[in-house]
Amino acid sequence: IAEVKHIGLTITLPDINESLLNFSVTDEKIIRFGMGAIKGVGGAAVENIINERTENGPYLSTLDFVKRVNLRSVNKRSIEALIMAGAFDGFENTHRAQYFYRENENSSTFIETLIKHGSSYQEQKNSMQQSLFGGVDDVSVSDPEMPVCEPWPKPQMLKSEKDVIGFYISGHPLDDFKICMQRYCNADAGYLKANLKKYEGSAVSFAGMITKAQQRVSKKGNPFGIITIEDFSGPIDLMMFSEDYLKRKHFLEVGNNVLVQEKIEERYRGGELDIRVNNMMLLSEAMEKLTSAVVLNIPVGDLNDSLIDKLVELVRLNPGNSVLKIKFISPDKNNGFAMKSTTYKIEPQGFVNELAKIRGLSFIIES
């Protein structure tokens, strides 16, 4: 994904009305994910979806979809996988959580309701076609309404994508921590894994999401942990033993985003290199723990009531323990003076994420 963005292309989620069996490229330099690459969606199902779409036009809704496709080829497993991959996201006023909604613990999911509805419609349609007096327009199966429920949180939505696609497309669990990682990390996990020698003897910091975690016991009865941490560049495996492991085992759960501070050192003078974890913290808490102040640079010419109101609101919504400083920059950018807020302190993670959305402002994070 990073390489695609780097060379100016875009990769998009599979789409029930756009995707082919394999990956395809549009004239707008967009790579469209192929439906055949979704786990749980077989070639026969994709062929049926595409043939029906070609012969009778785009699908107008999910209801239209289940009425038209062959539900023996495009079965429940295929439809679930297509939904989790985002293939139905293009339909208006729908979201993925609706399809998995249950009214209660014993009721069916809405996917099951849709499939039953599609089967009933097709059976009645076929019956009418075979009748001497009936017509296709006589089919009368009332459409179920989409349930009303909250959309999935972003982490759950991204997890569903990765489960059936193999990686994240519409976002990444670490997106909200990019600024923190740029400020406090000096290595990428994927690059570090392939270049340990370059960092020998150095203090290294990197961050990522724990994607695998194992807790084991050595032959001597000592507990140790093996974890895989993945960032935007790829994964790296870490092992922690004895006291290092016992101090940090509460962090070692799949799905946790962590910042790791470590040292690359020789293993028992044997020539091979090890990663010795010196410190670990939740990435959501890292900015607050490591930041002493945020310095906001404001060109004097940009200062107006609207900007002041935005900044006041950001400070109000992100109370914390870090100092806020505002530096006013002169028009020629040669002079400026800084002021420290004596009344308000901020939570830097949320504050700088919102600051980054305001055009023309820059800031410095002090540790």
Side-chain angles (χ1 to χ4, degrees), residues 102-127:
R102 297 176 186 267
E103 289 187 2
N104 56 63
E105 292 182 0
N106 299 318
S107 63
S108 301
T109 63
F110 189 64
I111 293 175
E112 294 167 330
T113 301
L114 282 173
I115 293 172
K116 289 178 182 177
H117 175 74
S119 296
S120 297
Y121 178 89
Q122 291 181 21
E123 287 174 8
Q124 191 170 340
K125 179 179 176 181
N126 291 335
S127 175

Side-chain angles (χ1 to χ4, degrees), residues 5-72:
K5 290 179 179 178
H6 178 69
I7 61 177
L9 300 178
T10 301
I11 185 165
T12 63
L13 291 167
D15 185 276
I16 208 68
N17 279 322
E18 299 289 340
S19 292
L20 303 178
L21 174 65
N22 299 312
F23 287 77
S24 55
V25 183
T26 72
D27 294 336
E28 293 79 22
K29 297 185 178 180
I30 295 173
I31 299 174
R32 174 70 72 178
F33 202 94
M35 288 187 285
I38 302 172
K39 297 174 185 176
V41 181
V46 177
E47 183 179 2
N48 181 260
I49 291 169
I50 294 174
N51 287 343
E52 170 60 30
R53 188 178 74 197
T54 303
E55 291 174 11
N56 298 304
Y59 301 105
L60 303 179
S61 65
T62 315
L63 284 167
D64 184 45
F65 176 81
V66 296
K67 289 177 181 179
R68 291 168 53 184
V69 297
N70 184 333
L71 293 172
R72 292 182 179 178

Side-chain angles (χ1 to χ4, degrees), residues 175-184 283-284 286-288 291-297 311 314-315 317-319 322-325 346-359 361-366:
D175 283 342
D176 290 340
F177 304 104
K178 280 184 177 179
I179 295 174
C180 179
M181 293 169 69
Q182 290 168 356
R183 173 61 180 83
Y184 291 112
L283 196 48
S284 58
M287 188 83 92
E288 180 82 10
T291 301
S292 63
V294 174
V295 182
L296 173 58
N297 298 314
L311 295 177
L314 286 186
V315 171
L317 293 175
N318 295 279
S322 297
V323 171
L324 173 63
K325 299 177 184 178
I346 56 167
E347 186 282 303
Q349 178 72 55
F351 186 74
V352 298
N353 279 349
E354 293 302 316
L355 274 184
K357 299 175 184 178
I358 302 177
R359 190 174 179 179
L361 292 185
S362 64
F363 53 87
I364 298 172
I365 300 171
E366 296 182 341

Side-chain angles (χ1 to χ4, degrees), residues 259-277:
L259 186 144
V260 182
Q261 296 171 324
E262 60 196 17
K263 188 172 183 180
I264 312 301
E265 54 189 21
E266 190 175 340
R267 183 193 303 170
Y268 307 120
R269 302 181 184 275
E272 294 187 25
L273 296 177
D274 261 349
I275 298 175
R276 173 70 184 272
V277 177

Side-chain angles (χ1 to χ4, degrees), residues 281-322:
M281 66 189 77
L282 292 175
L283 196 48
S284 58
E285 299 175 354
M287 188 83 92
E288 180 82 10
K289 290 182 176 180
L290 300 175
T291 301
S292 63
V294 174
V295 182
L296 173 58
N297 298 314
I298 303 179
V300 173
D302 293 343
L303 195 60
N304 54 49
D305 289 343
S306 176
L307 178 59
I308 292 171
D309 289 342
K310 283 182 182 178
L311 295 177
V312 169
E313 182 68 3
L314 286 186
V315 171
R316 186 184 68 81
L317 293 175
N318 295 279
N321 299 311
S322 297

Side-chain angles (χ1 to χ4, degrees), residues 120-138:
S120 297
Y121 178 89
Q122 291 181 21
E123 287 174 8
Q124 191 170 340
K125 179 179 176 181
N126 291 335
S127 175
M128 291 295 183
Q129 287 175 335
Q130 295 169 10
S131 168
L132 179 62
F133 303 103
V136 177
D137 292 337
D138 296 326

